[in-house]
């Protein structure tokens, strides 16, 4: 599964994208978030306030704790500021 | 039509392209967003716009489809740039064409309000002091988008 | 600025002229009104706009001053043509420039609504059958103007 | 005093403008209207429905029966249809 990071999340994590093999116990979005935060202090800090993080699953906004079955691409990013 | 590009665009040429040879159009509204010298911070010198290739196009298509469904439009156009832009450069263009001016005005305002809150673009401001700053979400933009719900 | 002229104008060039060298402008809204092939009657071939020289300019100045007073605008422009215009030609242009998009959008809509009900212009439609028809006042225009009272 | 007529009022009256010497008994706008309507059937018909006539005195809209003292220019025209 591909994970994308944009804007300050990208610069803070020092990473624009990564490809991960999901451990078997990670079934839903919340599981993935816990998995990422458990990596190190940088990830934990970046995802400490989920109010300032938006999530897209296969390029569609999600706000629920969706299943990751069959998902190809997840993106984490700050609220958008285009226009 | 939606276009996501790094190149500059010409507002006048785009308006002309949309209206030429269509004699049912009575009203054309355009909105152009420009890099201005103050935003979250003062002394903005340039902006770099990051986007999410793939999702950006999908979101703009959805927003345009909503507008075409809600208002009586002959045609519409959204151009949004990414990459680095200097002061005074155009970032975004929305053009709506209709037989009636109220449809053209409302649809253009809606497209901008939704684009501001839904299209995955992020602005990095570069100030004259050399510092960089990710622009923050504005509550006024969220409120503006809510009024169309 | 207000301009009353018989000559055609170029929307893109006018927008550019208003925004060039002003880096405080974040939002530019333009409205262009075109001769369309149906109005009160079908098969409109051309329009002739009559106006009241002197009073026209005074009314447009008043309407622009009201908008500049009511909204935070960096600049504004109204161009209104008179004389004969063919299908697809631009009749009127309103451009508003502001730091903020809501001011630019609202002021442009206000200028058009007021201009439609206050500026002394009269449209004579020429149809393909050769008949002529003075366009009638629209109740929708009166209602649109009232919402700004 | 100059009187101007626009749009269908101009074509119906066959006259874009005229200069008249006001008779002494014409002091207000309503007096002038009665004076014009008394001229002939064409003027009477043109001014038969004042709901479709707008009036400007010295290039300012008026809706009241204003005094004509010192007035240079009066215009009669249909509701405007520009834009």
């Amino acid at each position: 599964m591909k994970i994308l990071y944009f804007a300050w999340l990208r610069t803070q994590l020092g990473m624009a994208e990564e490809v991960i093999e999901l451990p078997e116990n990670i079934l839903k979005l919340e599981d993935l978030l816990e998995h990422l935060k458990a990596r190190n202090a940088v990830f934990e800090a970046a995802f400490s306030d989920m109010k300032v993080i938006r999530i897209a699953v296969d390029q569609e906004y999600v706000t629920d704790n969706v299943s990751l079955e069959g998902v190809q691409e997840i993106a984490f990013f700050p609220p958008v500021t285009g226009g | 039509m939606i276009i996501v590009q790094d190149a500059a665009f010409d507002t006048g040429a785009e308006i002309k392209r949309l209206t030429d040879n269509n004699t049912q159009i009575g009203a054309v509204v355009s909105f152009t967003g420009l890099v201005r010298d103050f935003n979250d911070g003062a002394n903005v010198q340039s902006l770099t716009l990051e986007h999410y290739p793939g999702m950006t196009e999908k979101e703009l298509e959805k927003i345009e489809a909503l507008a075409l469904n809600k208002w009586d439009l002959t045609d519409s156009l959204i151009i949004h740039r990414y990459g680095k832009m200097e002061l005074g450069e155009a970032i975004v263009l929305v053009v709506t064409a209709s037989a009636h001016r109220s449809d053209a005005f409302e649809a253009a305002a809606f497209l901008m309000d939704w684009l501001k809150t839904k299209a995955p673009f992020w602005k990095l401001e570069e100030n004259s002091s050399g510092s960089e700053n990710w622009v923050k979400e504005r509550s006024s933009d969220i409120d503006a988008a809510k009024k169309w719900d």
Side-chain angles (χ1 to χ4, degrees), chain B residues 9-27:
Chain B
F9 58 80
D10 177 334
T11 294
E14 296 299 337
I15 294 175
K16 202 168 148 48
R17 199 149 61 97
L18 206 76
T19 52
D20 270 2
N21 305 316
N22 186 330
T23 55
Q24 305 209 303
I25 298 173

Side-chain angles (χ1 to χ4, degrees), chain B residues 68-143:
Chain B
L68 289 168
N69 185 50
K70 199 169 159 71
W71 286 280
D72 177 17
L73 301 180
T74 319
D75 211 344
S76 62
L77 171 68
I78 305 173
I79 302 180
H80 204 305
R81 291 176 64 196
Y82 58 87
K84 186 161 181 175
M85 283 155 241
E86 303 297 327
L87 222 51
E89 276 192 67
I91 305 164
V92 61
L93 173 66
V94 159
V95 187
T96 52
S98 174
H100 310 289
R101 74 181 181 287
S102 60
D103 288 80
F105 267 122
E106 285 182 24
F110 164 85
L111 286 168
M112 280 309 305
D113 287 342
W114 271 56
L115 194 155
K116 284 261 178 192
T117 53
K118 301 277 180 182
F121 287 96
W122 301 273
K123 284 197 183 101
L124 180 68
E125 285 180 358
E126 290 112 22
N127 300 310
S128 52
S129 59
S131 67
E132 294 185 333
N133 168 51
W134 286 103
V135 172
K136 300 239 177 346
E137 178 181 43
R138 286 168 197 283
S139 58
S140 61
D141 285 335
I142 299 168
D143 293 342

Side-chain angles (χ1 to χ4, degrees), chain B residues 12 23 25-34 36-37 99 101 113 141:
Chain B
T23 55
I25 298 173
V28 184
V29 169
S30 79
F31 176 91
T32 314
L34 307 169
R36 64 165 192 252
D37 57 13
R101 74 181 181 287
D113 287 342
D141 285 335

